[in-house]
Amino acid sequence: MAGKVVLHYFDGRGRMESVRWLLTAAGVEFEEEHLLKREQYLKLLSDGDLMFQQVPMVEMDGMKLVQTKAILSYIAEKYNLHGKDIKERVMINMYSEGLFDQMEMIMYLPFTPADNLPAKLDAIQTKAKERYLPVFEKALSGASHLVGGKLSCADVYLLECSLMLEEKHPEILSGFPNIKSFQGRMKQLPAFSKFLQPGSKRKPQPDGTYLKTVMEVLDFKLPL
Ligand code: GSN
């Protein structure tokens, strides 16, 4: 069917989860082809579907899109979630990159040896409280959204990131009332409220099965 959006990735969050959030914000329906076996990945490679031999890959508008940030930019541009001019866009991109840096730290946790885990979790908390969250707390002072008074992709990533942080450190937003209130408002938007219900396409926190599948499909060995 023309116009179908298909996500090719593992049955887990990883680099694809922000794509799921952004498509949800844009009100775009999507399907998923989960990579469960190495043969599926090898077939994508032999069909020439992965420009750099990597996933995420998103089939959209007759293209096979790769590189997470390029995919996200395309969706944000197409659905008017990327600011009204280049000055708004650069602010949105700066906020977004900070949020990706923070989320990447959490994304790598499942690949961390158990004895390093407490130190990594501490580092995530410190970085969040001292580097990232203060920026968003200030940006949301007296403002409904991060940029231009309307929803942008940066708001979507902030919602995603703040929820990920709370999963690891439940009290982390206690010193950041503007972010907490923003998060509460965003969670009530119909698209997100549905996405946050059980049974939606939002993926749970990664578990051992997810880790095992990624390692098998990509033929990776730990430590990476
Ligand atoms: O952001 C991006 O999409 C790329 N710059 C990186 C994508 C990437 O590293 N994909 C991994 C799996 S998802 N986790 O990180 C991948 O496909 N690795 C296979 C390989 O041979 O690099």
Side-chain angles (χ1 to χ4, degrees), residues 61-74:
D61 298 340
M63 298 179 286
K64 292 190 168 136
L65 303 173
V66 296
Q67 289 292 357
T68 316
K69 288 175 188 173
I71 297 168
L72 292 168
S73 292
Y74 181 77

Side-chain angles (χ1 to χ4, degrees), residues 7-214:
L7 314 190
H8 296 262
Y9 199 68
F10 309 101
D11 185 9
R13 289 183 185 175
R15 293 181 199 273
M16 191 64 101
E17 194 67 355
S18 294
V19 176
R20 298 184 182 103
W21 273 99
L22 196 58
L23 287 170
T24 299
V28 177
E29 294 286 331
F30 56 90
E31 296 178 10
E32 303 215 20
E33 286 288 334
H34 292 142
L35 293 177
L36 303 171
K37 297 272 168 228
R38 182 152 175 82
E39 294 69 47
Q40 293 171 275
Y41 171 69
L42 294 176
K43 170 134 185 17
L44 288 172
L45 288 182
S46 64
D47 289 349
D49 288 345
L50 305 180
M51 183 185 281
F52 298 112
Q53 301 159 29
Q54 292 174 320
V55 287
M57 189 270 277
V58 175
E59 286 183 67
M60 188 169 179
D61 298 340
M63 298 179 286
K64 292 190 168 136
L65 303 173
V66 296
Q67 289 292 357
T68 316
K69 288 175 188 173
I71 297 168
L72 292 168
S73 292
Y74 181 77
I75 298 165
E77 293 283 338
K78 180 170 179 183
Y79 294 100
N80 201 17
L81 294 164
H82 214 175
K84 68 173 182 333
D85 55 32
I86 56 170
K87 288 197 170 174
E88 282 196 0
R89 197 158 306 133
V90 76
M91 287 308 298
I92 289 169
N93 289 343
M94 285 160 57
Y95 289 135
S96 300
E97 289 295 331
L99 289 160
F100 295 145
D101 286 348
Q102 174 82 77
M103 286 196 277
E104 201 161 82
M105 294 176 76
I106 303 173
M107 190 183 83
Y108 284 127
L109 280 177
F111 301 93
T112 305
D115 52 343
N116 279 350
L117 206 52
K120 289 273 182 201
L121 282 166
D122 265 8
I124 286 168
Q125 171 153 245
T126 304
K127 275 273 164 61
K129 283 186 168 170
E130 294 180 5
R131 181 176 296 191
Y132 295 109
L133 294 176
V135 171
F136 300 107
E137 183 66 13
K138 189 169 165 209
L140 288 170
S141 168
S144 60
H145 296 84
L146 288 172
V147 178
K150 74 183 273 287
L151 186 73
S152 76
C153 56
D155 297 304
V156 181
Y157 311 140
L158 177 57
L159 175 61
E160 180 189 2
C161 183
S162 66
L163 292 169
M164 282 171 87
L165 283 168
E166 284 187 317
E167 285 173 340
K168 299 297 171 198
H169 299 289
E171 302 303 321
I172 198 156
L173 295 184
S174 61
F176 302 94
N178 295 334
I179 300 175
K180 190 71 196 167
S181 140
F182 164 87
Q183 189 200 59
R185 282 183 278 115
M186 294 281 281
K187 281 164 73 175
Q188 282 171 20
L189 297 179
F192 294 141
S193 144
K194 202 165 153 219
F195 193 58
L196 289 164
Q197 298 289 324
S200 81
K201 287 181 172 155
R202 184 179 183 222
K203 299 296 176 193
Q205 293 194 65
D207 61 10
T209 309
Y210 171 74
L211 179 67
K212 190 164 169 281
T213 307
V214 174

